[in-house]
Amino acid sequence: MPQNVDYRIIDRPDGQFEVVVKLASGKIFRRSGCISRAEADTWIEGLRMLMAAIGAPVSIADATPEDISTDGSQTMHNAGHSEP
């Protein structure tokens, strides 16, 4: 059975955007430093295509931002972008 993938786009204080993705397993992945909302949206579209290949639907998180945070016992991974 496919497991859902939830994401949230966060506006950072520095004007950039961050995409936080939470897998059904509880693992959290973060794509930091998107310069524009369009860049974040493009990254999510790539994620949708990748996850569609394995049958995992991607949807915007209905939860509050605290539910997709880096706190607690969840594991967080940087999703392939290095900060300058």
Side-chain angles (χ1 to χ4, degrees):
M1 181 167 127
Q3 299 203 6
N4 292 341
V5 176
D6 295 327
Y7 72 91
R8 178 170 302 283
I9 298 176
I10 300 169
D11 295 334
R12 294 185 352 183
D14 63 1
Q16 294 186 346
F17 298 86
E18 187 167 286
V19 181
V20 180
V21 177
K22 183 177 181 182
L23 305 181
S25 67
K27 285 188 180 180
I28 296 176
F29 293 85
R30 173 174 289 181
R31 167 57 162 91
S32 297
C34 296
I35 295 172
S36 67
R37 176 64 189 247
E39 183 182 349
D41 290 337
T42 299
W43 192 85
I44 290 170
E45 286 308 310
L47 177 66
R48 284 185 197 282
M49 288 189 289
L50 178 65
M51 298 280 83
I54 60 170
V58 176
S59 59
I60 192 159
D62 292 331
T64 62
E66 293 79 26
D67 291 338
I68 298 182
S69 69
T70 59
D71 298 333
S73 62
Q74 299 169 343
T75 304
M76 186 183 67
H77 305 276
N78 190 337
H81 180 76
S82 58
E83 297 275 334

